[in-house]
């Protein structure tokens, strides 16, 4: 239909068609008409009529409220589809490599850091504990050490990857960050009920359920790169992704929002100075990560990131409420994916495994 409209509205195409099908009038004794004598004038009038009708239809369409498009509608997706897992694209050999690497990493982590007889974890925690008798101060020092290494290495990722390659840099990044994260988690578990009790709300009816639900939801707010396990383990070449779908439509920094939810829930439930100090340190680290993450993505992707930034928000739902982000009708399908089903199972498993986690931490005497 579009092609025929173009032909009808183009005088030159009309003349060409007439030359192609024109035959001598005397042979068929065809009556001579104005169109035969002046084909160009008829074509010009026809073109003018077509142009007028096209302009009128365009004006009607543009003035109709049903066809007005918001900026979010006009711009096609720029970022990647997050939490996408396609079974047909998976290789059995890659997941075998991942299993082997995971086993080796856990073995070395236990040997060189966790096991008090062979590792350096207890020595590291004891050295920080010697700085102050305050559990709050030690908790903040542990978080500061982790944040410095984790965010510091992330800040020099571009230069580091150019120097040693993507996979080697990931090994260095994980090899230094993971032991510090373990030390921080273990110390928190062991000393979360120490310090000064600020309030006691555990007897409030319904609070346990609210805290549990907040913790459960917080684990769904992981940054989508966390789901790329093959990249995390450097089986696949690690990449800096520009995500746009899924949880990113709600907030551009889901890890920060999830950490805030987790910290608030635990602080309200336990209500002492150690947990409050841990929450302040963790939230501060993640707020820095918001600025640092945007800075790094802007340096890597430039205008593409600025376009995604304009359609998303740091504060949850802000871009949706002010019309910069329009959720698809089938938005829920962006969460009906294997990574989120796995998160559900692991979160429930971690909740029921709390006694085991606590017993293991207590046994380290950090």
């Amino acid at each position: 239909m579009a092609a025929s409209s173009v032909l009808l509205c183009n005088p030159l195409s009309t003349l060409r068609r007439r030359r192609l099908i024109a035959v001598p009038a005397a042979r068929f004794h065809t009556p001579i008409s104005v169109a035969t004598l002046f084909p160009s004038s008829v074509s010009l009038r026809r073109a003018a009529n077509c142009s007028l009708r096209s302009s009128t239809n365009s004006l009607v369409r543009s003035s109709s409220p049903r066809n007005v498009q918001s900026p979010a509608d006009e711009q096609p997706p720029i970022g990647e589809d997050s939490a996408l897992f396609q079974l047909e694209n998976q290789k059995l050999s890659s997941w075998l490599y991942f299993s082997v690497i995971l086993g080796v990493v856990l073995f070395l982590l236990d040997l060189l850091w966790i096991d008090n007889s062979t590792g350096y974890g207890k020595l590291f925690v004891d050295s920080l504990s010697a700085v102050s008798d305050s559990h709050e101060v030690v908790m903040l020092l542990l978080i500061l050490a982790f944040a410095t290494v984790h965010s510091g290495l992330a800040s020099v990722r571009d230069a580091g990857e150019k120097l040693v390659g993507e996979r080697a840099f990931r090994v260095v990044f994980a090899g230094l960050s993971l032991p510090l994260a373990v030390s921080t988690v273990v110390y928190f578990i062991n000393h979360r009920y120490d310090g000064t009790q600020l309030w006691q709300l555990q007897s409030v009816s319904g609070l346990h359920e609210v805290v549990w639900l907040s913790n459960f939801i917080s684990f769904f707010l992981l940054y989508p790169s966390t789901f790329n396990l093959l990249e995390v383990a450097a089986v696949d070449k690690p990449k800096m992704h520009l995500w746009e779908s899924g949880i990113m439509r709600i907030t551009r920094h889901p890890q920060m929002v999830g950490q805030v939810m987790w910290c608030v829930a635990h602080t309200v439930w336990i209500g002492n100075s150690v947990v409050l100090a841990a929450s302040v340190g963790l939230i501060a680290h993640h707020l820095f990560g918001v600025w640092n993450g945007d800075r790094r993505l802007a340096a890597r992707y430039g205008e593409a990131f600025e376009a995604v930034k304009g359609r998303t928000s740091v504060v949850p739902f802000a871009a949706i409420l002010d019309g910069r982000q329009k959720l698809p009708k089938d938005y829920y399908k962006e969460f009906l994916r294997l990574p989120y089903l796995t998160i559900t199972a692991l979160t429930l498993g971690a909740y029921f495994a709390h006694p085991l986690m606590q017993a293991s931490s207590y046994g380290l005497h950090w």
Side-chain angles (χ1 to χ4, degrees):
M1 186 67 175
S4 62
S5 300
V6 172
L7 291 173
L8 287 175
C9 296
N10 189 342
L12 297 178
S13 65
T14 305
L15 291 176
R16 285 197 294 269
R17 289 204 315 280
R18 287 184 179 276
R19 292 194 187 98
L20 288 173
I21 66 173
V23 292
R27 182 177 179 182
F28 290 95
H29 305 285
T30 306
I32 299 175
S33 64
V34 175
T36 307
L37 292 175
F38 306 103
S40 60
S41 63
V42 175
S43 300
L44 288 173
R45 287 196 302 271
R46 186 178 297 166
N49 291 336
C50 289
S51 178
L52 180 61
R53 287 195 302 269
S54 177
S55 300
T56 304
N57 291 337
S58 299
L59 181 60
V60 172
R61 284 195 300 269
S62 63
S63 62
S64 174
R66 292 177 299 175
N67 294 297
V68 174
Q69 292 182 330
S70 66
D73 293 330
E74 295 172 357
Q75 297 175 339
I78 296 174
E80 299 178 61
D81 191 7
S82 63
L84 184 63
F85 184 89
Q86 296 175 319
L87 187 61
E88 62 271 16
N89 294 335
Q90 306 303 311
K91 296 180 180 179
L92 179 60
S93 58
S94 296
W95 288 103
L96 289 176
Y97 289 143
F98 171 80
S99 301
V100 172
I101 291 173
L102 179 61
V104 171
V105 168
L106 293 178
F107 172 77
L108 292 176
L109 182 64
D110 180 68
L111 178 68
L112 300 176
W113 197 259
I114 297 177
D115 192 330
N116 288 335
S117 62
T118 59
Y120 295 91
K122 181 173 174 56
L123 180 62
F124 171 72
V125 174
D126 288 345
S127 65
L128 293 183
S129 298
V131 174
S132 174
D133 294 331
S134 170
H135 295 301
E136 294 85 352
V137 172
V138 177
M139 188 77 253
L140 288 172
L141 288 175
L142 284 166
I143 294 174
L144 179 62
F146 169 77
T148 301
V149 172
H150 188 270
S151 293
L153 288 175
S155 298
V156 299
R157 177 176 179 174
D158 288 345
E161 289 181 342
K162 290 179 181 178
L163 183 64
V164 300
E166 291 86 345
R167 286 188 172 90
F169 185 81
R170 175 55 57 88
V171 171
V172 173
F173 178 82
L176 294 177
S177 299
L178 188 57
L180 296 177
V182 170
S183 297
T184 305
V185 171
V186 169
Y187 191 88
F188 175 82
I189 293 176
N190 287 351
H191 299 281
R192 68 192 187 281
Y193 285 108
D194 295 337
T196 303
Q197 193 69 35
L198 303 175
W199 56 79
Q200 180 57 259
L201 302 176
Q202 294 184 6
S203 60
V204 175
S205 177
L207 182 61
H208 178 268
E209 288 73 17
V210 172
V211 168
W212 186 92
L213 184 61
S214 299
N215 286 323
F216 183 80
I217 294 175
S218 71
F219 284 96
F220 282 88
L221 294 166
L222 291 171
Y223 195 68
S225 292
T226 311
F227 301 141
N228 291 15
L229 296 180
L230 296 181
E231 290 186 22
V232 172
V235 175
D236 290 345
K237 184 180 292 186
K239 301 175 183 177
M240 185 184 295
H241 295 273
L242 181 61
W243 304 111
E244 189 175 6
S245 65
I247 194 64
M248 307 299 284
R249 298 182 187 273
I250 296 176
T251 170
R252 192 169 66 253
H253 290 280
Q255 194 98 359
M256 179 274 295
V257 176
Q259 186 66 72
V260 170
M261 291 180 64
W262 186 93
C263 287
V264 170
H266 279 77
T267 302
V268 169
W269 180 251
I270 298 177
N272 66 35
S273 56
V274 171
V275 177
L276 180 61
S279 296
V280 170
L282 289 171
I283 292 174
H285 173 223
H286 282 77
L287 289 177
F288 172 79
V290 169
W291 171 82
N292 196 35
D294 281 355
R295 180 191 64 81
R296 293 165 52 221
L297 286 172
R300 174 70 67 93
Y301 290 102
E303 293 182 0
F305 169 71
E306 295 300 328
V308 172
K309 182 180 179 181
R311 299 204 291 260
T312 56
S313 61
V314 176
V315 178
F317 301 104
I320 299 172
L321 294 176
D322 62 24
R324 292 183 291 117
Q325 175 67 239
K326 183 176 177 60
L327 297 180
K329 293 182 179 179
D330 57 351
Y331 176 57
Y332 68 94
K333 292 183 179 179
E334 296 182 2
F335 291 92
L336 297 180
R337 295 175 174 179
L338 182 60
Y340 286 109
L341 297 177
T342 305
I343 287 295
T344 302
L346 291 177
T347 303
L348 292 174
Y351 173 75
F352 291 110
H354 261 56
L356 179 62
M357 296 167 58
Q358 294 168 10
S360 300
S361 295
Y362 297 153
L364 293 177
H365 301 290
W366 289 4

